[in-house]
Amino acid sequence: MHSLAGYIFKRNESALVVAVLLTVIVFSLSSPYFLTIPNFVNLIEAWSVTTILAAGAFVVLVSGGIDISFTATVAATQYLAATLMARHGYPPALALGLSAALGIAMGSINALLTHYLRVVSIIVTIATGSIYYALLIFITNAEEIYNLPDWWSNRAASFKFELASGDTVRITMSIMVMVVVVLMTHHLMNRTRIGRQVYALGGNPEAASRIGIGVLRVQLLAYGYLGFLSFVAGFIQASRVQQAVPTAMAGQELNVLAVAILGGASLVGGLGSVGGVVLAVLFLAMLQNGLTLVGVSSYFFGVVIGLAILVSISMTSLADKHAHRWHRPRANR
Amino acid sequence: MNTANPHTDRSAPLLSLDGIGKRFGGTIALSNIHWSIQPGELHCLVGENGSGKSTLIKILAGVHTPDTGGTITFDGVRHTRLTPQEAKALGIQVIFQDLSLFPNLTVLENIAIDLELDSPLRLPPRRAMRDAAKEALASLDADLPLDVRVGSLSVAQRQLVAICRGLATNARILFMDEPTASLTRHEVELLLSTVRRLKEMGVAVVFVSHRLEEVVEVADHVTVLRDGHKVGTYPANEINEHRLTELMTGESILHEVNARQLEDRRPALEVRGATRTDEFEDVSFTLHAGEILSIIGLLGAGRTELALSLFGMTRLQRGEILLNGEPLHLKSNQDAIEAGIAYVSEDRLSLGVNLKQPISDNVAITVLDRLAGALGLVSPRSRSQLAEEWVERLGIRAANVAAAVQTLSGGNQQRVVLAKWLATNPKVLILDSPTVGVDVRNKQGIYDVVRELASEGVAILLISDEVPEVYFHSDRILHMRDGRIAGEFTPGVASDHALSEALYA
Amino acid sequence: MNRSSPNADGGARLTAQLDSMIAALRQGTSNIVGLILLLAVLVAVFSILMPSTFPRATSLQSMMFQIPELGLLSLAMSIALISGGINLAVIATANLSGLLMAWILTGVMPADASGFELGLWVVGAFAAGLVLSIVVGVVTGLLVAFLGVHPILVTLGTMTLLHGLAIYFTRGRTISGFPDAVIAISNETVLGIPVSFLVFTLIVVLAHVLLTRTELGVRIHMIGSNLEATRYSGVNTRRVQVWVYVLSSVLCWLAAVIMMSRFNSAGADIAQSYLLITVLAAVLGGIDPYGGFGRVAGLFVALWILQVIASGFNLLNVSPHLGLASWGLILILVMAVKRVAASFNVFPKAGSRQRNAKPATISQSPEDSQ
C-alpha cells in the first residue's frame, strides 16, 4: 500500500495523471458545461502559447540548464516579423524566416556564453534577458503594431466544426501549431540521437564530454530550440490578439518554468518528458477553467497555482523519503 | 589463492610503452616508463598518490600527450601519441571510478551510447543498439534488464554496465580505477568471474587498486610505480603485500604488534544490545578509556551504520549506549558531540571536509561556540589561530590556513578533519576508515596521532576493512559480519592470518 | 606530534600569522578591489561626459535616495544565495508585507489619527508587516529544511502563492495615501544623506558582521558549500536554513517600508522587474551563485555601480532601457574577466595561489592529479 502511493508520486507523470483525472471528475460534477468539447477546446487554446514555451523550456531544463531570457526573445521575434510585414511589406516567408533566425540566434548566444564563461546558465540568461529586453524596448519604444496581415490571425486560419449538439467548435491555428510543436519536441527528444544526448548531458555532464558528446553542440541545440519556439510562441500570441505588443510576455518566465517543472522536468537535468509538460498544462488549464465555471474569482488563481507547486514538491519529496525507508542501506561510497 | 598464470606468453604484447614520460610544467609526473601487457592478462597497477598511475592511464586514454621520445605500440603499430578518438578506435577503454554512466538513461542506452554519437538528427538505431547490448551482456553471462534506468541499479550492476559499454565498442584493453572500492565480497567475486570471461576473450584488464591483498590474490602481474618511475613488474604469485608496500614507498616498514594490556580499564563507552532493523543486531561491547578498539568487517557488515548510531545520527531501536557509566539519549549528533563523542566519517570528500572552504573554518566549525568572545562574536582571527595551533600540532602541511581544504593532499585533509574533532576535546573518537585514499607514508602519521591520543586517555574506536591496519595498530579487534559481532581477536595472541581468514570466510 | 615543526620560534610564527592575514584579506578582497576600480572608472567617465551635472552633491544624494530599496532586496537575495539557496519570493514577500501595512494604515486606522495615536498606529502597522515577513520566512525555511527540495522550487511556490494572495486581496489594485510620517522616512535627510540610505548602510554593516563574525554567519557559509558535511560537523543545519529565510524575509519587510514610503503606494505588482536584478546585483558583487562565498561589501559596491550607470544615463538623457541593457552587459563582462583570471588559478576558492598548481584533471579528487 505504501509503495503504491510512493510509486505514484515518485513518477511525476503518474501523479499528474491522477491530478488530471481528479480535476475532471470534480469539475464535471460541479458544472455541466465543463466536460463539453467547446469548453475543452477553449481552455486548451488559452494555454497554447504557454505550452509552446514550456516545451522549449523543458528541453533546456533536461540539458541541465535554465533560461530566463526567452520572453524577451518572444517579444523581439514577434516584433521583427510584425514590423517587416506590416511596415516594410516583406513577403511573409522571408519575414518569418528572419524572425525565426533571430530567435535561434538569441538562444545560441545564451548557449555560447554559458559554455565559454563557465557560469551557471540562470545567471547568464538573467544578464542576456536584461540586455535583450532593454534593447528591444529601446529600439521599438514599446510601441504596438496593429495592422498585421489578415492571415495572421487566429480566427482566420482555423477549422470550424458543427457538433451534433449544435455547438460550433473552432480549431484555431494556435491549437494546431501547439499540437505540432508538442509532437515535434517529443520526436526530437525521444527519436533523434541528439535528443538522447540532451538527456545524457543533463544526466552526467562530465561523462558526456568524456565519451565524446559535443557539449557545445547539444547546448546550441537546446537553447536554439527554445529560441525557435519562442519565435513560434510570439507568432501565435500575436495571432490571438492581432497585435504585436513588446511588453506582453514580460515577467512570465517563471510561470512557464513552473509549468515545465510541474510537468516533471528536473532542475538538475536529465529527467522529464513532453508528455509530463502536456499533463501539467492540462491540469492547470482545467483547474483554472473549472474554478471559473464554479464561480471562483479569477483573482484567486495565483493562490491555486502556488499551492499546486508547493503540494507537488512536497509529495515528490515525501515519496522519495518513503522509498528510502524500505531500502536496505548500503555503504555506497 | 592466486590462480594466475605466470607463464603468459610475453613475446607478443598487446600494448607496450617504451620510454614514456610526462612533465607538467616543473613537475615530472612520469619518467622513462617501459611497460607491456599481453592479451588476456590481468595486470594490477599500484602506487601511492602522486606515483603517476593516473597520468599513465590518461596518456593511454588520449587525454594527455606524452613527452617526445616515447612510443606507444598497440598490436604492433607504433604511435607517438594517441587522441581520445584513436584510443577508443584501437580499443583502449578506461572505466573511471565514477563509471561515467548516465543514471537517467536505460541500461541499453548506456551500453550502446556509442552508436548514438554521430549523425545528430538521425534516428538512433534501436535494433542495432539492442543487439549490441545483448551481445555484450551475453558474453559476460550477465543478466540485466535492458530497459531499466541505470540510476536504480546497485554499484556492482552499474559496473557491469560500464564494462559492457567497453565491450560494445570492441575494447581490447580495459583499465579500471579502484573497481572493488564499493563492492561487497560477493560482488567482488562476481566481478572477478566477469574479468575471467574477459580474459578468455583475449581482453586485457588493468586494475588500478590500493587494496594490496586483493591485488596479490587476483592479478597475473603487478607493476609498482613510485614518484613517476616504474619500480618493477612482478608475477603476482611471487610477491606479497608487505613487499609491495616497501616497493611503493621505498621504505622498509616494520610492522609490529602494538596491542597493550591496559591497567586502568575504566569503561568509557558501553554498548549493550544495540539494534537497528536491517542494519545491525544485538551489538554489545565495552570500549575503555585510552584503548584502541577496532571493528573490522567488509562492506555491508553494518560497521558504519553502528557508528552513525553511536554518533547520534540515527536512533537505536533496541539497546543502550552508556558513556562513562551514564546512559545516553542521543537525539542528534549535536547531543553526541556535547557528550564527548566525535566521528570521522569514511567519506572524507563529501562528509568529512568542506572542500572549497578554508582550512580555518573547517577546523573551527565544531567549536564556534567555544571561540565566541565579547558580544558573542567569533572573529576570523580566532578561527585562524585555532587552525594554526592544530596545523602545528598535527603537522599539517599547508601554506596558510586561509587556503581551501581542497588544495591539500588526502592525508593532510584527513588531519584537518582530525583537528576539527580533536578541538572538541572528545572522550570517544570514532574513526571510520580513516586512511582510505591516504598515502602509506601519511597513514603512519595518522596512526601515530591516534596512538598519542590513546595514551592521553581518549577512547578510540577504529573501523576498517584492512587487516594490517587493525592488526598492527589496535589493542583489541572485534569482527563484524552481517550486522553482528562475529568474533574477538587480540593482536599478538591471534595471528593476522587468522583474522584474514575470519574476515574473508 | 609534529616531529619537524618549522614554526618553533616566535619570529616564524609571526610571519605565518601575517601570511594568514594577508591571504585572508586577499580572498574576496581582490574581487572587491576590482569592483571599486570599476566604479571609479565609471564615475570618472560620467564626470568627464557631464562635468557640470554629474559630479555634484545633488546627484550623489539622488543616487543615495534610490539605492536602498533595490539594495535591501538584493541583500535579502544574497543571504539566501550564500547559504546555497535562493529566494525567488523576495519581491512577493515585500509586496504582501507592504500591502498588509498599507491596509492597516488606510483601512483600519482612523483617518483623523494624529500625534501619539498616529505614531502607535504606524508602529503597529510596521510590526504587523514584520510579523508577516517572519512567518513567511519561517514557513519557507521549514519547507527548505525539511522537504530537502531545492530552494528555487520552494520559493517559486511561495512566490506564486504570496503574489496570488496579494492579487486576490487587492483585486489587482494598489493602496495609496499614507500618513506623512511614513512618507517622511524616505525623504528625510541627515546632513544631506537620506535617512533611508543611512539605514541601509547600517544594515549592510550589520549583515557583514553577522556573516563574517558570528556563529550563524560561519554556519551559513559552510552549509552553502556543503550542507551534509556541515551537518556531520554538529551544526543544526535546519535551524540555520530557517534563520536564513527569516533574515531574508525581514530584509524584504524593510524594503517594503522604504518602498511604501517612496512610492506612497503598495500593490501586488510593484517592483516585479527587480527580482532578477537582485540576483544580478548579488552575482556582480561577488556572491557565488552556487553558495558558500560572497561579501556584502562587494554587493554594496555593485549596487553603486548599477546606480551610477542608471543615474549617469539618466542625466545624459539616454533611455533608461539602455541602462538596464548595460547592467546585463557589465555582468557578462565581469564574469568574462573572472573566467580569464580563473584559468591561471587551479583551485579558485578561499584563496592563496598554489605554487605547484597542478593542471585541471578529469577526476575530482586532488589525489589523482598526477
Side-chain angles (χ1 to χ4, degrees):
Chain A
M1 220 31 198
H2 285 285
S3 44
L4 180 61
Y7 174 77
I8 288 184
F9 289 109
K10 185 125 206 286
R11 293 291 323 273
N12 214 288
E13 287 81 351
S14 355
L16 279 172
V17 169
V18 169
V20 166
L21 286 175
L22 278 177
T23 321
V24 168
I25 295 174
V26 165
F27 286 120
S28 48
L29 290 175
S30 325
S31 162
Y33 187 59
F34 182 72
L35 211 52
T36 62
I37 297 194
N39 184 47
F40 193 67
V41 168
N42 269 334
L43 69 83
I44 288 193
E45 209 221 337
W47 285 71
S48 52
V49 172
T50 308
T51 311
I52 294 171
L53 288 172
F58 151 75
V59 172
V60 170
L61 283 170
V62 170
S63 81
I66 301 181
D67 186 337
I68 300 257
S69 69
F70 59 87
T71 48
T73 310
V74 169
T77 52
Q78 180 191 78
Y79 191 85
L80 181 65
T83 315
L84 291 180
M85 281 193 271
R87 297 264 173 84
H88 304 280
Y90 274 54
L94 183 59
L96 291 179
L98 287 172
S99 305
L102 175 65
I104 296 175
M106 288 168 81
S108 303
I109 292 177
N110 289 335
L112 289 167
L113 286 173
T114 305
H115 186 87
Y116 287 112
L117 288 183
R118 294 220 196 290
V119 174
V120 63
S121 56
I122 188 173
I123 303 294
V124 167
T125 55
I126 287 179
T128 54
S130 313
I131 298 177
Y132 290 163
Y133 189 70
L135 281 181
L136 173 70
I137 303 295
F138 173 66
I139 293 174
T140 66
N141 252 323
E143 62 173 333
E144 295 144 11
I145 300 184
Y146 295 100
N147 46 333
L148 303 179
D150 290 332
W151 59 266
W152 189 352
S153 123
N154 213 11
R155 288 190 74 78
S158 59
F159 294 105
K160 228 158 103 162
F161 293 94
E162 275 269 344
L163 290 178
S165 58
D167 295 321
T168 13
V169 162
R170 212 171 211 144
I171 305 292
T172 57
M173 178 164 62
S174 327
I175 297 179
M176 293 189 286
V177 170
M178 176 183 82
V179 169
V180 168
V181 164
V182 165
L183 291 175
M184 182 168 72
T185 309
H186 176 83
H187 179 89
L188 175 75
M189 295 302 279
N190 292 321
R191 299 206 184 295
T192 63
R193 295 181 199 213
I194 200 160
R196 302 315 295 166
Q197 287 175 29
V198 175
Y199 276 98
L201 179 64
N204 190 341
E206 290 92 23
S209 64
R210 238 184 255 167
I211 67 164
I213 290 181
V215 172
L216 179 60
R217 188 165 68 165
V218 174
Q219 285 174 323
L220 282 170
L221 170 85
Y223 291 88
Y225 187 67
L226 175 56
F228 173 69
L229 286 187
S230 303
F231 150 72
V232 172
F235 176 78
I236 294 298
Q237 207 229 0
S239 78
R240 297 184 71 223
V241 298
Q242 281 180 293
Q243 21 177 322
V245 181
T247 52
M249 291 288 306
Q252 294 296 308
E253 318 77 16
L254 290 175
N255 290 337
V256 170
L257 277 175
V259 169
I261 291 172
L262 264 179
S266 158
L267 278 176
V268 291
L271 291 174
S273 65
V274 190
V277 172
V278 169
L279 283 173
V281 170
L282 261 181
F283 172 60
L284 292 174
M286 290 200 288
L287 200 55
Q288 182 187 39
N289 177 269
L291 286 174
T292 320
L293 285 178
V294 163
V296 172
S297 153
S298 62
Y299 289 116
F300 194 66
F301 194 55
V303 179
V304 171
I305 299 200
L307 286 174
I309 295 177
L310 290 174
V311 166
S312 146
I313 60 183
S314 307
M315 299 262 103
T316 327
S317 130
L318 290 174
D320 275 343
K321 298 212 166 127
H322 237 277
H324 283 144
R325 206 173 299 163
W326 304 103
H327 177 67
R328 188 198 174 99
R330 323 203 56 167
N332 270 336
R333 291 179 198 197
Chain B
M1 199 190 65
N2 192 328
T3 53
N5 180 3
H7 303 298
T8 323
D9 179 23
R10 296 199 78 80
S11 58
L14 175 66
L15 168 68
S16 63
L17 302 175
D18 285 292
I20 289 290
K22 181 69 184 166
R23 269 176 173 266
F24 291 111
T27 325
I28 298 179
L30 280 180
S31 169
N32 198 20
I33 302 288
H34 295 269
W35 183 76
S36 68
I37 185 169
Q38 311 298 113
E41 179 184 336
L42 173 53
H43 199 110
C44 282
L45 206 53
V46 302
E48 303 220 283
N49 299 318
S51 58
K53 302 173 300 200
S54 285
T55 310
L56 182 59
I57 293 183
K58 286 180 184 162
I59 287 179
L60 290 171
V63 175
H64 292 318
T65 314
D67 298 339
T68 44
T71 50
I72 304 171
T73 309
F74 193 90
D75 248 354
V77 178
R78 279 213 202 149
H79 306 260
T80 46
R81 61 145 304 161
L82 292 173
T83 63
Q85 292 80 6
E86 283 169 350
K88 199 154 84 165
L90 288 176
I92 301 178
Q93 285 281 334
V94 177
I95 300 179
F96 293 98
Q97 205 170 351
D98 67 346
L99 304 179
S100 305
L101 293 175
F102 300 102
N104 57 329
L105 298 182
T106 61
V107 169
L108 168 66
E109 289 182 298
N110 268 279
I111 294 178
I113 187 123
D114 221 57
L115 293 174
E116 283 191 308
L117 288 185
D118 309 306
S119 320
L121 285 181
R122 285 177 49 202
L123 301 176
R126 288 277 140 129
R127 166 108 305 154
M129 283 168 65
R130 199 162 275 270
D131 290 341
K134 280 195 188 157
E135 198 182 309
L137 283 169
S139 66
L140 299 181
D141 215 26
D143 181 29
L144 283 178
L146 282 177
D147 297 305
V148 160
R149 285 208 177 143
V150 163
S152 60
L153 298 180
S154 71
V155 176
Q157 289 170 314
R158 286 188 225 178
Q159 210 170 47
L160 215 48
V161 173
I163 296 176
C164 283
R165 178 199 284 173
L167 284 181
T169 56
N170 297 314
R172 305 282 304 286
I173 177 168
L174 213 54
F175 288 85
M176 299 184 73
D177 191 4
E178 300 292 352
T180 57
S182 308
L183 301 183
T184 64
R185 186 66 191 166
H186 178 63
E187 289 165 343
V188 170
E189 294 293 334
L190 290 175
L191 173 66
L192 292 175
S193 72
T194 303
V195 169
R196 274 192 282 275
R197 294 229 163 209
L198 289 170
K199 290 172 63 167
E200 280 164 28
M201 288 160 48
V203 176
V205 179
V206 179
F207 278 5
V208 174
S209 176
H210 73 279
R211 296 184 157 199
L212 301 179
E213 293 166 339
E214 218 168 58
V215 161
V216 160
E217 192 184 317
V218 309
D220 296 323
H221 292 90
V222 183
T223 294
V224 180
L225 292 181
R226 185 171 84 221
D227 290 331
H229 298 266
K230 182 175 112 169
V231 174
T233 299
Y234 312 92
N237 60 2
E238 291 171 16
I239 200 160
N240 60 42
E241 56 265 39
H242 294 302
R243 184 79 186 112
L244 278 177
T245 310
E246 285 178 359
L247 292 167
M248 279 163 60
T249 59
E251 291 160 17
S252 243
I253 296 183
L254 261 139
H255 284 300
E256 20 174 61
V257 171
N258 286 298
R260 300 156 299 164
Q261 277 285 65
L262 299 169
E263 277 91 47
D264 169 21
R265 308 210 96 211
R266 177 174 56 87
L269 190 72
E270 286 169 81
V271 180
R272 298 183 191 159
T275 304
R276 263 182 72 85
T277 325
D278 281 345
E279 292 183 17
F280 50 87
E281 197 175 332
D282 203 21
V283 172
S284 303
F285 63 86
T286 304
L287 170 64
H288 305 89
E291 178 181 22
I292 303 178
L293 173 68
S294 290
I295 297 185
I296 191 169
L298 300 175
L299 199 69
R303 310 155 295 160
T304 299
E305 290 81 354
L306 175 65
L308 290 177
S309 271
L310 296 177
F311 187 51
M313 302 288 291
T314 55
R315 217 76 64 83
L316 286 182
Q317 279 154 352
R318 271 204 320 272
E320 52 174 1
I321 306 172
L322 295 101
L323 183 67
N324 288 334
E326 300 289 322
L328 283 180
H329 302 289
L330 301 173
K331 292 190 296 292
S332 70
N333 62 334
Q334 288 134 52
D335 291 342
I337 295 170
E338 207 146 326
I341 302 178
Y343 173 67
V344 173
S345 169
E346 53 162 354
D347 187 351
R348 182 184 68 249
L349 291 176
S350 311
L351 301 176
V353 290
N354 206 323
L355 283 170
K356 295 190 185 151
Q357 294 284 342
I359 297 170
S360 54
D361 286 346
N362 264 278
V363 172
I365 187 68
T366 44
V367 290
L368 289 174
D369 46 349
R370 301 181 208 191
L371 288 177
L375 297 177
L377 295 179
V378 183
S379 71
R381 189 81 181 292
S382 61
R383 288 152 22 211
S384 300
Q385 268 177 341
L386 177 71
E388 276 155 20
E389 279 166 26
W390 284 102
V391 162
E392 200 175 318
R393 274 184 74 179
L394 295 182
I396 302 177
R397 297 179 61 186
N400 72 71
V401 295
V405 167
Q406 67 185 0
T407 59
L408 302 179
S409 71
N412 282 305
Q413 285 181 5
Q414 193 68 305
R415 284 172 211 242
V416 170
V417 176
L418 279 174
K420 84 169 168 196
W421 288 119
L422 295 180
T424 66
N425 255 321
K427 304 191 184 80
V428 175
L429 179 63
I430 307 175
L431 299 166
D432 197 348
S433 303
T435 60
V436 168
V438 174
D439 283 351
V440 172
R441 288 189 201 110
N442 262 304
K443 277 193 213 253
Q444 197 54 44
I446 291 180
Y447 298 142
D448 291 340
V449 168
V450 171
R451 208 155 319 126
E452 205 168 315
L453 284 172
S455 70
E456 287 168 12
V458 179
I460 313 261
L461 186 64
L462 173 63
I463 296 177
S464 175
D465 62 356
E466 292 180 27
V467 169
E469 181 164 75
V470 307
Y471 192 80
F472 294 112
H473 299 106
S474 50
D475 303 319
R476 253 193 321 146
I477 304 169
L478 294 176
H479 173 215
M480 198 165 168
R481 176 210 292 279
D482 289 332
R484 295 177 152 275
I485 303 284
E488 184 171 329
F489 296 77
T490 307
V493 172
S495 71
D496 54 347
H497 291 298
L499 182 58
S500 272
E501 240 158 88
L503 183 64
Y504 291 111
Chain C
M1 284 184 202
N2 182 10
R3 276 166 201 133
S4 55
S5 164
N7 296 331
D9 59 308
R13 247 193 105 62
L14 188 60
T15 322
Q17 274 180 346
L18 271 171
D19 268 342
S20 272
M21 266 172 52
I22 292 175
L25 282 174
R26 214 191 289 159
Q27 120 201 2
T29 302
S30 56
N31 182 50
I32 296 182
V33 166
L35 286 172
I36 294 180
L37 278 174
L38 178 57
L39 179 62
V41 165
L42 286 168
V43 168
V45 165
F46 282 118
S47 300
I48 291 173
L49 287 174
M50 301 174 286
S52 52
T53 40
F54 188 77
R56 299 184 57 174
T58 41
S59 55
L60 181 64
Q61 192 190 61
S62 141
M63 287 192 263
M64 288 201 259
F65 271 116
Q66 297 178 66
I67 287 185
E69 70 224 24
L70 179 63
L72 287 166
L73 291 168
S74 302
L75 196 55
M77 178 63 82
S78 298
I79 291 194
L81 284 173
I82 292 178
S83 80
I86 191 172
N87 188 356
L88 290 177
V90 288
I91 313 288
T93 307
N95 280 337
L96 193 62
S97 175
L99 279 171
L100 176 62
M101 297 189 280
W103 174 66
I104 294 180
L105 288 175
T106 56
V108 180
M109 179 179 83
D112 57 356
S114 65
F116 184 65
E117 195 194 341
L118 175 67
L120 273 184
W121 275 103
V122 170
V123 169
F126 284 2
L130 176 60
V131 167
L132 176 61
S133 300
I134 292 177
V135 167
V136 169
V138 169
V139 171
T140 307
L142 288 174
L143 284 173
V144 167
F146 285 94
L147 281 185
V149 172
H150 197 287
I152 198 174
L153 286 180
V154 172
T155 56
L156 182 64
T158 55
M159 169 188 91
T160 317
L161 178 61
L162 293 173
H163 180 252
L165 284 171
I167 289 277
Y168 180 62
F169 286 127
T170 60
R171 296 295 189 267
R173 295 188 300 260
T174 58
I175 301 181
S176 20
F178 306 136
D180 290 335
V182 169
I183 303 184
I185 291 174
S186 68
N187 285 318
E188 286 299 313
T189 63
V190 170
L191 297 176
I193 302 180
V195 167
S196 56
F197 186 78
L198 286 173
V199 168
F200 172 61
T201 310
L202 176 66
I203 300 284
V204 168
V205 170
L206 286 176
H208 173 80
V209 171
L210 175 91
L211 285 171
T212 56
R213 303 181 103 87
T214 63
E215 295 176 45
L216 179 63
V218 175
R219 290 171 182 157
I220 290 177
H221 283 280
M222 295 295 269
I223 72 175
S225 282
N226 188 333
L227 184 80
E228 278 305 294
T230 311
R231 187 168 76 98
Y232 270 74
S233 300
V235 170
N236 187 341
T237 53
R238 290 181 172 159
R239 193 168 349 140
V240 173
Q241 283 174 311
V242 173
W243 267 110
V244 164
Y245 291 94
V246 166
L247 289 172
S248 180
S249 303
V250 168
L251 287 168
C252 296
W253 165 74
L254 268 175
V257 168
I258 307 266
M259 288 198 292
M260 270 176 63
S261 163
R262 241 165 74 79
F263 305 139
N264 194 17
S265 80
D269 288 319
I270 296 194
Q272 285 272 41
S273 57
Y274 273 7
L275 179 61
L276 299 176
I277 307 292
T278 61
V279 178
L280 190 151
V283 175
L284 182 63
I287 314 281
D288 187 338
Y290 286 112
F293 297 93
R295 295 288 182 92
V296 290
L299 173 64
F300 191 72
V301 179
L303 288 163
W304 272 103
I305 290 175
L306 296 180
Q307 188 58 56
V308 160
I309 293 177
S311 296
F313 276 30
N314 187 27
L315 285 175
L316 280 173
N317 258 320
V318 173
S319 159
H321 302 294
L322 282 186
L324 178 59
S326 314
W327 286 358
L329 198 56
I330 283 265
L331 180 61
I332 290 183
L333 287 175
V334 167
M335 292 193 292
V337 168
K338 281 194 189 170
R339 167 88 187 100
V340 171
S343 57
F344 294 121
N345 193 3
V346 177
F347 299 115
K349 289 299 168 203
S352 69
R353 287 171 196 274
Q354 286 301 99
R355 223 153 288 157
N356 301 318
K358 302 194 174 106
T361 59
I362 290 179
S363 18
Q364 270 192 335
S365 133
E367 274 104 59
D368 292 343
S369 57
Q370 267 199 334

